[in-house]
Amino acid sequence: MFRAKATIIKTAPLARRTYASVASTPIVSTANGIKVAAVDGGPEGSNLASLSLVINAGSRFETAATSGAAHYLKAFGFRNTRERTSFRTIREAELNGATLTAEATRENITYTVQCFKNAVPYFVEVLADIATGTKYAEHEFRDVARTVGFESLCAHADPTTRLVEGIHQAAFRSGLGNSLFALASSPVATGDAVRQYAQSAIACNRIAIVGTGVDSQQLADLVSQSSLSALELQPSSPLAAGAGSKFFGGAQQLYESASPVSHYALAFSAEPESAPVLASLLGAQKRMKWSTGVSPLAKLAAAEGFEAESFSFGYSDAALVGVVVSAASGQIKSAVEKVAATIQKEIATANPDAVQRAVAAARLDAAETSGTVKGARAALAQVALGQKPVTLESVEQAAAKLSSSAVFGSKPVAASVGLSQTTAYVDTLGF
């Protein structure tokens, strides 16, 4: 950072840890074993902090009897507890200028507060209250069910979300294949059902408290003084016995749609560490405005008049990497067949220059993500829960043992939103 006065330029020293180094942040454990991780970094002189309660109870841990429970548990965040009404929580958050959010992924449920540093002790209590004192009242469940139903309806109306759901279901069937959203057929019909799921999930060995703009030891001391100190280990929790992920290649999910535009996702199994590099190797995105891109897929999409976008989804024990193709319904089959042929002929046997470009792009993406508050919190949560975040070092290590032919030469899974009569089937693509 530079400061200018008259014609003199001074360089200010970096006095604190930056977000980019959060992967090496030491973990502090409370007396009952709750993992706490924080980094007091960010812009010099910043008075902002953020806190997250991370519960390792995402949709992958649901069973047939609890399908949709994670979505409901997320929506119950910041509701009435034994200590606070939701009105009080929201009102005091507004008075402190804080922002409250809740998020559910396939592995974790996260409740986050962004606030000023002087409000950190209060919001540690608020997050502790969510974990230990949420009432899950039946009258609140009706409001929560409306919110959950609307979110599920919006997801169903979005073709991209349907593709993501479809490739996960085709790839993993159960576990990571479980939907992020509570379907209309969800057996979760009462607040008590959500309470039972929460009780099986919220234990000192399945949660973490992470933060930015606050010291780890100070945050751990606050956690130890909160109601979280009463949580106990649950070694026999039903969620603790979740089976490891297994990839089922060659499967396909087809969603009918009368839209004039069709969408097709093709996904391959990969190691979590190598998925970002492989997605960059597919390289369907443009990194310069008005450019057609330099990768074979980018050039193909520009020449044929359709869109292609690569993606990767990394989890603790599995990852998916692939490409989404969007084209006019009458063109989608030809577009997908050409994309599949390009992957097999050019990307599976990529030359060293292409791999080097992919590694550089993946390193930049990792640095950009870890340099944000949200990225720092996500990395801290992974470290605290014993997982491996994507870092510059992990990208370089993955590049050293990258085998694109092994990944892109295997049988993929597919999901499509469009007319079945014009959609290519995965078993006809030559993999």
Side-chain angles (χ1 to χ4, degrees):
M1 181 179 291
F2 299 95
R3 294 177 180 175
K5 185 177 181 180
T7 57
I8 300 174
I9 299 178
K10 297 180 179 180
T11 303
L14 291 176
R16 294 181 295 173
R17 183 194 301 267
T18 62
Y19 291 147
S21 60
V22 295
S24 58
T25 299
I27 306 301
V28 180
S29 295
T30 62
N32 62 336
I34 295 175
K35 299 296 188 293
V36 179
V39 55
D40 190 9
E44 184 181 2
S46 173
N47 198 31
L48 298 178
S50 69
L51 302 168
S52 290
L53 165 66
V54 186
I55 306 172
N56 189 213
S59 60
R60 73 172 296 174
F61 299 104
E62 294 172 352
T63 64
T66 60
S67 176
H71 192 181
Y72 279 99
L73 183 56
K74 183 269 293 187
F76 258 106
F78 304 104
R79 296 278 177 165
N80 291 339
T81 69
R82 289 192 294 268
E83 298 296 328
R84 295 171 176 83
T85 64
S86 59
F87 176 82
R88 175 186 169 186
T89 299
I90 294 172
R91 180 61 174 158
E92 292 181 345
E94 289 176 339
L95 291 173
N96 281 285
T99 302
L100 313 178
T101 57
E103 178 186 17
T105 67
R106 286 182 159 77
E107 295 199 296
N108 301 318
I109 298 170
T110 305
Y111 306 103
T112 299
V113 178
Q114 290 182 286
C115 61
F116 290 108
K117 290 184 178 181
N118 60 2
V120 165
Y122 170 74
F123 285 111
V124 168
E125 292 291 341
V126 170
L127 293 177
D129 242 6
I130 294 175
T132 62
T134 300
K135 290 184 174 181
Y136 305 104
E138 295 304 326
H139 72 276
E140 283 189 295
F141 180 82
R142 292 191 289 272
D143 290 336
V144 167
R146 282 193 287 269
T147 299
V148 166
F150 180 71
E151 290 176 350
S152 298
L153 188 64
C154 291
H156 184 76
D158 180 20
T160 301
T161 303
R162 295 179 76 185
L163 284 179
V164 172
E165 292 282 288
I167 58 172
H168 279 84
Q169 187 175 7
F172 303 111
R173 300 184 184 177
S174 59
L176 288 174
N178 293 341
S179 176
L180 278 174
F181 304 94
L183 306 179
S185 58
S186 171
V188 179
T190 64
D192 189 60
V194 184
R195 182 203 317 277
Q196 292 178 25
Y197 185 79
Q199 289 176 342
S200 67
I202 299 175
C204 58
N205 55 320
R206 297 191 66 86
I207 69 171
I209 300 291
V210 301
T212 61
V214 60
D215 178 73
S216 290
Q217 188 58 58
Q218 292 177 352
L219 182 58
D221 291 341
L222 292 171
V223 171
S224 297
Q225 296 164 17
S226 72
S227 57
L228 289 172
S229 61
L231 288 181
E232 298 179 351
L233 181 71
Q234 290 188 11
S236 59
S237 168
L239 274 65
S245 299
K246 180 180 178 181
F247 180 83
F248 296 87
Q252 180 162 343
Q253 289 289 111
L254 176 66
Y255 301 102
E256 290 285 355
S257 172
S259 170
V261 177
S262 293
H263 310 271
Y264 195 101
L266 200 62
F268 301 83
S269 176
E271 294 297 323
E273 296 82 4
S274 63
V277 179
L278 291 168
S280 295
L281 186 60
L282 284 170
Q285 289 93 331
K286 303 173 184 177
R287 288 189 170 264
M288 182 181 297
K289 193 174 182 179
W290 312 123
S291 168
T292 58
V294 297
S295 75
L297 282 186
K299 291 179 178 178
L300 173 66
E304 297 291 333
F306 61 84
E307 291 187 358
E309 182 175 355
S310 58
F311 64 82
S312 67
F313 297 101
Y315 303 101
S316 57
D317 60 348
L320 292 177
V321 60
V323 61
V324 174
V325 180
S326 300
S329 293
Q331 185 191 8
I332 189 67
K333 183 175 181 180
S334 171
V336 170
E337 290 173 344
K338 291 177 180 178
V339 166
T342 301
I343 291 175
Q344 294 172 75
K345 294 178 181 178
E346 299 189 50
I347 297 177
T349 58
N351 59 53
D353 287 343
V355 173
Q356 185 177 1
R357 288 196 301 268
V359 172
R363 291 181 75 252
L364 179 63
D365 291 341
E368 184 178 27
T369 300
S370 61
T372 65
V373 175
K374 184 176 181 179
R377 285 198 307 266
L380 287 170
Q382 288 179 299
V383 172
L385 293 172
Q387 302 165 6
K388 294 182 179 179
V390 177
T391 64
L392 295 178
E393 293 78 12
S394 69
V395 169
E396 292 170 354
Q397 291 171 3
K401 53 182 180 181
L402 190 69
S403 177
S404 59
S405 59
V407 173
F408 296 127
S410 62
K411 284 192 174 183
V413 295
S416 59
V417 177
L419 297 175
S420 59
Q421 292 88 345
T422 61
T423 300
Y425 285 88
V426 69
D427 57 3
T428 67
L429 297 178
F431 289 101

